[in-house]
Amino acid sequence: MASKRFGRQTPTFSTVGQYSYSNGELVADMFEEECNVTFFGSQRYELVIMAAKNEDGSPAATTISLCKPRQNGKSHGARFYAAYAADFEHKDVLYSAHNGATTRKMFRALLEIYDNPERYPQFAESVKEISRSRGYEGIYFKDWIDSDGVIQKGGCIEFATRTNSGARGGTYSVIIIDEAQELTDEQQEAMLPVVAAAADASDESSLPQIIMIGTPPPPVGNGTVFRRMHKKAHQGASKGNWWLEWAVVAEKLDDINLTADTVIDLVAETNPAFGYRIAETTVLNEFESMSKDGFCRERLGWWSSDEDYVDFAINRDKWMECSSEGLKPEGKTAYGVKFSADGSQVTLCGAVCPVDQPARISLIEIRDTSRGTQWLADWLNARYKTASCVVIDGRNGVEFLIEKISGTWIMKNSIIKPSGKDVVAAASQLVNEIGEQTVTWYKYQEALSDSAVTSGKRPISGGWGFGGDNADPIHAASLALWGCRTSKRDPNRKMRVG
């Protein structure tokens, strides 16, 4: 009978620097003895790395990234590191995840220890307060007395689902970013200031720390930060980021020798939980039912090349949350027109911006320009008296259309030919409004929806605009919304007399 296989406990790839000491093993021992939890060898190693210190007590690594295939207990070590940092080192810790369900799961797991005085009185005793309000979950620890006899504020662990607007406005010494494969540049830029403000420039031990935990991202998605950090780590260009990874490495999918004879060896090499929580029968079932691409990414930790990656501009779930079956509202109106790069097609969209409810964007028409654009000029001219502006973008066809409507659209700035920065602003505004749900779209406009969820980010003027083979509809919609929000002209506004 063959002996049971167990997964590799050391990373297949890592970039770990020097450190003086670590309490990671002590942390693992304490929670194992006091709370009856267990750690794989890999999770103990992760705790050692997270708790690594320089001689002066400062974190040896200010950024640590951990990447494993799914179901390998990625967050387990970080959970207890967060508890140790907040309870014993008196630090303010933020645990952040992409999905609210993940955040609440971590909160409940720590409550099993800190809100359970009958089983774990030594941990519950250190708690000052627990906040259970949805969206404001947190565990706050009692004040403590330092070696000089001075009362110091206790640490805390707060839990938050990520947004583009920051992390509650607080300051944290440690931020744990779970589901890091979903982290966007906008979210990272909102989070970084809250750790920078936590440091005391005169106290090296207060330097902040960021820990990222994730899986290899799919070839399409919104998260760019984790992929960029992975690339730098493998290029040897990331000095401040310690990277731990369990993965097969291959430029192309065809380079991975995945067969019925090799699958178990590959899984054992890349899954530290194999033989513990991941059974061989489960792996074989996945091998039989999943595509090679999916199996290699989800189970073997394979990262597809940058050439295969599409950085989607709009999050599909957020977009769908903005769908509406309601009638188009009344209010200030604007139109967006986008000519394709070769001028062969023109797309017309509209936007309505009521005062007291979300805006509505809609796709009005997509037509081939081989028979001209007189229909579009006539359509726009008929609506001059009721619309604030029309925004027209493209390389070919723009000037000809403007010439056709300028005799009717005579008000200053009623015709707008956007600059590159305007296009960037329009795209960013639409994405932000989708995230904040201040804009809706009619759920049966499939052409607009397809454009929204398949368009990537195209570099332009120091920022990005919508790009891809089907980007024109959402591009035109963003121009219409931007024009509606920024134009000072509103023909529907009623004048007050006296």
Side-chain angles (χ1 to χ4, degrees):
M1 180 176 177
S3 60
K4 186 175 181 180
R5 295 288 301 275
F6 292 96
R8 172 178 173 146
Q9 298 304 307
T10 56
T12 58
F13 174 83
S14 65
T15 57
V16 174
Q18 299 294 318
Y19 59 92
S20 295
Y21 67 94
S22 174
N23 290 329
E25 288 282 4
L26 297 176
V27 173
D29 289 341
M30 176 183 67
F31 283 109
E32 278 194 343
E33 294 171 7
E34 302 291 341
C35 301
N36 197 32
V37 298
T38 58
F39 296 90
F40 304 148
S42 60
Q43 293 164 339
R44 279 181 164 268
Y45 176 68
E46 292 156 21
L47 274 170
V48 169
I49 298 303
M50 293 175 190
K53 305 287 187 183
N54 295 316
E55 188 175 352
D56 59 9
S58 62
T62 54
T63 304
I64 299 170
S65 296
L66 168 63
C67 184
K68 291 180 180 177
R70 298 186 186 279
Q71 300 174 328
N72 276 277
K74 294 181 300 299
S75 305
H76 190 70
R79 175 189 310 166
F80 293 99
Y81 179 66
Y84 170 75
D87 189 355
F88 296 89
E89 294 189 326
H90 317 294
K91 293 182 177 181
D92 289 345
V93 179
L94 175 69
Y95 173 83
S96 163
H98 176 70
N99 294 301
T102 306
T103 306
R104 291 189 292 274
K105 181 179 179 181
M106 180 65 78
F107 177 56
R108 289 194 296 267
L110 286 172
L111 286 185
E112 287 292 318
I113 296 174
Y114 285 103
D115 193 30
N116 200 338
E118 293 183 357
R119 293 189 63 185
Y120 312 115
Q122 69 276 34
F123 291 100
E125 175 63 23
S126 64
V127 174
K128 177 181 181 180
E129 179 185 0
I130 295 175
S131 173
R132 292 178 170 81
S133 299
R134 191 71 170 262
Y136 292 90
E137 294 92 343
I139 302 173
Y140 302 86
F141 296 93
K142 294 178 180 178
D143 296 344
W144 57 288
I145 301 176
D146 66 16
S147 58
D148 296 323
V150 179
I151 297 176
Q152 302 286 352
K153 172 184 168 295
C156 72
I157 310 173
E158 293 187 333
F159 303 81
T161 305
R162 285 194 293 275
T163 67
N164 290 346
S165 56
R168 296 190 181 181
T171 56
Y172 303 92
S173 298
V174 178
I175 289 185
I176 297 173
I177 301 174
D178 207 344
E179 300 172 327
Q181 70 276 8
E182 303 285 352
L183 182 67
T184 66
D185 286 305
E186 292 82 3
Q187 291 169 348
Q188 184 191 46
E189 289 162 6
M191 297 179 82
L192 288 180
V194 306
V195 287
D200 180 351
S202 64
D203 181 8
E204 291 291 331
S205 65
S206 73
L207 290 176
Q209 188 178 42
I210 297 175
I211 297 172
M212 296 189 181
I213 306 166
T215 61
V220 292
N222 292 93
T224 53
V225 177
F226 208 45
R227 176 172 285 272
R228 182 168 61 246
M229 295 178 75
H230 168 266
K231 183 177 181 179
K232 287 183 177 180
H234 279 264
Q235 290 177 338
S238 182
K239 297 181 180 179
N241 176 34
W242 290 8
W243 184 275
L244 310 178
E245 175 182 302
W246 279 258
V248 294
V249 178
E251 284 292 327
K252 299 179 180 180
L253 193 61
D254 291 341
D255 295 335
I256 302 174
N257 181 28
L258 178 62
T259 67
D261 294 329
T262 64
V263 60
I264 296 302
D265 288 338
L266 290 172
V267 169
E269 182 72 4
T270 56
N271 288 258
F274 181 65
Y276 297 100
R277 62 183 295 180
I278 300 175
E280 184 171 324
T281 53
T282 300
V283 167
L284 294 175
N285 181 62
E286 291 175 338
F287 174 69
E288 292 293 337
S289 60
M290 296 174 68
S291 66
K292 183 177 180 180
D293 178 273
F295 185 86
C296 289
R297 183 172 55 254
E298 302 292 339
R299 181 54 57 219
L300 303 182
W302 175 65
W303 286 69
S304 57
S305 69
D306 288 347
E307 294 178 359
D308 298 327
Y309 181 73
V310 178
D311 181 13
F312 283 137
I314 295 175
N315 181 280
R316 179 185 293 268
D317 292 338
K318 294 294 185 183
W319 170 258
M320 296 308 298
E321 288 173 5
C322 292
S323 66
S324 171
E325 294 187 56
L327 297 175
K328 184 175 67 175
E330 295 184 359
K332 184 180 175 185
T333 301
Y335 300 107
V337 175
K338 175 66 172 73
F339 284 90
S340 60
D342 60 2
S344 64
Q345 182 175 277
V346 64
T347 301
L348 170 67
C349 285
V352 179
C353 298
V355 175
D356 56 355
Q357 63 188 99
R360 169 67 65 86
I361 54 175
S362 59
L363 173 62
I364 299 170
E365 190 73 67
I366 301 176
R367 283 198 191 182
D368 188 283
T369 59
S370 59
R371 296 186 178 182
T373 56
Q374 187 61 49
W375 68 270
L376 179 55
D378 293 341
W379 192 96
L380 291 170
N381 286 337
R383 288 159 178 79
Y384 168 69
K385 293 183 180 180
T386 58
S388 59
C389 65
V390 56
V391 187
I392 308 173
D393 187 38
R395 294 181 179 178
N396 299 297
V398 174
E399 300 299 338
F400 194 52
L401 177 62
I402 290 176
E403 182 180 341
K404 287 176 176 289
I405 66 173
S406 57
T408 301
W409 289 71
I410 57 175
M411 185 68 70
K412 183 179 179 181
N413 295 326
S414 62
I415 301 175
I416 300 174
K417 185 179 177 182
S419 65
K421 291 184 177 180
D422 293 335
V423 171
V424 170
S428 298
Q429 177 180 308
L430 177 56
V431 170
N432 288 336
E433 294 213 26
I434 290 169
E436 296 171 3
Q437 296 189 28
T438 56
V439 64
T440 65
W441 57 279
Y442 190 53
K443 68 178 298 182
Y444 299 108
Q445 286 203 323
E446 295 182 2
L448 179 61
S449 184
D450 287 344
S451 176
V453 301
T454 61
S455 294
K457 293 181 179 179
R458 175 176 62 90
I460 179 175
S461 298
W464 61 268
F466 294 108
D469 295 336
N470 189 30
D472 286 357
I474 198 64
H475 183 120
S478 72
L479 297 178
L481 180 64
W482 175 78
C484 199
R485 293 292 196 199
T486 59
S487 176
K488 296 180 180 180
R489 178 174 181 258
D490 185 1
N492 298 315
R493 185 187 298 124
K494 295 182 179 179
M495 299 289 292
R496 289 188 176 183
V497 180

